[in-house]
Amino acid sequence: MADVKKIATRDSYGEALVELGQENPNIVVFDADLAGATKTGVFKKASPDRFFDCGIAEGNMMVAAAGVSTCGYIPFASTFAMFAAGRAYEQIRNTIAYPRFNVKICCSHAGVSVGEDGGSHQAIEDIGLMRLIPGMTVIVPADANEAKKATFALAEFQGPAYMRLARLATPVFEEDYPFEIGKANVLREGKDAAVFACGLMVNEALEAAKLLSAEGIEISVINVHTIKPIDAECVTKYAEKCGN
């Protein structure tokens, strides 16, 4: 069996920022002393005059990004998910989301897949915390291609948004399906059950579907890349379809 191509979503995020920066002079990037890990360092190299390292001061970074957004710029602010959703939660809630400023918070090293960094860095609460904030859009891309599309979509989207990225290199899907904020993608059809997944778990769900298929059980796999606003129509359709 041929080797599966694997790319981390954080890598394609960095590449997308470089392309966006070349196309749009209003794209600016903020980081909190983690540019090598979040992959914003590639944007720094390409557009150093529009890159701002705020140091280990995530709250200050969010406030600065909020201020810059009022001047017509489109700031992408990055750090580890634990430091943004955790340490800078108040600034995100009050300074970015409450006034509906156009800031894109894109954070890597989320979830338990960043095992080697230890429990203190394994942000598992970030999705819940961000989706609870009124006015916040929450996106969790499933692979590198989707992460790139999501980054471009966020540049066009007006309003605050949170995107969860992963440290781990994961399989890139062969199918090149479209990406639209708020619209889930059905990656596999099945009559017996439906699995709704996001991020790295989408590939795991597809692998599980293959194993179940060999046993005569066919499941639908739906990539719910946008957690908020969720695609209620799609979720309801497949829940009803496979709920009997």
Side-chain angles (χ1 to χ4, degrees):
M1 185 173 68
D3 291 336
V4 177
K5 183 180 180 181
K6 292 184 178 183
I7 303 174
T9 52
R10 60 174 176 152
D11 285 319
S12 57
Y13 166 65
E15 294 171 2
L17 286 179
V18 172
E19 292 184 35
L20 280 171
Q22 294 170 344
E23 297 175 3
N24 188 341
N26 289 326
I27 298 292
V28 293
V29 174
F30 290 78
D31 205 285
D33 202 36
L34 287 170
T38 62
K39 301 304 178 180
T40 62
V42 292
F43 181 91
K44 177 182 179 180
K45 184 177 181 180
S47 305
D49 59 326
R50 287 184 279 148
F51 177 88
F52 304 93
D53 190 338
C54 298
I56 307 174
E58 293 82 4
N60 289 346
M61 177 178 71
M62 298 303 174
V63 174
V68 166
S69 73
T70 67
C71 300
Y73 292 99
I74 306 171
F76 283 77
S78 296
T79 182
F80 287 2
M82 190 68 251
F83 303 151
R87 187 178 299 163
Y89 181 82
E90 179 187 351
Q91 287 77 16
I92 292 173
R93 177 185 182 274
N94 293 342
T95 310
I96 294 175
Y98 182 71
R100 305 290 178 99
F101 287 152
N102 193 32
V103 179
K104 319 305 174 186
I105 305 155
C106 303
C107 297
S108 68
H109 291 60
V112 296
S113 67
V114 57
E116 53 269 53
D117 284 2
S120 64
H121 285 46
Q122 293 171 1
I124 57 175
E125 317 92 333
D126 58 314
I127 295 176
L129 287 168
M130 291 297 108
R131 72 172 299 277
L132 282 171
I133 299 176
M136 181 67 73
T137 292
V138 181
I139 295 173
V140 188
D143 73 346
N145 287 340
E146 189 166 74
K148 187 173 184 178
K149 292 176 183 177
T151 304
F152 275 87
L154 286 177
E156 297 294 329
F157 175 77
Q158 290 296 312
Y162 177 82
M163 181 162 69
R164 184 194 229 216
L165 302 167
R167 178 188 189 277
L168 191 68
T170 50
V172 178
F173 304 150
E174 293 182 4
E175 182 182 358
D176 186 24
Y177 53 84
F179 176 88
E180 182 181 347
I181 294 175
K183 294 293 182 182
N185 291 103
V186 180
L187 303 186
R188 185 183 178 103
E189 292 279 4
K191 60 180 175 58
D192 297 313
V195 174
F196 304 96
C198 67
L200 307 188
M201 295 308 297
V202 175
N203 182 70
E204 299 303 312
L206 288 170
E207 291 302 310
K210 293 177 184 177
L211 295 175
L212 289 170
S213 181
E215 298 180 10
I217 302 171
E218 299 297 334
I219 67 172
S220 297
V221 176
I222 299 94
N223 172 19
V224 188
H225 52 69
T226 305
I227 303 299
K228 183 183 177 183
I230 198 165
D231 189 345
E233 181 180 353
C234 178
V235 172
T236 301
K237 174 183 176 181
Y238 280 84
E240 292 176 346
K241 176 181 177 181
C242 302
N244 297 324

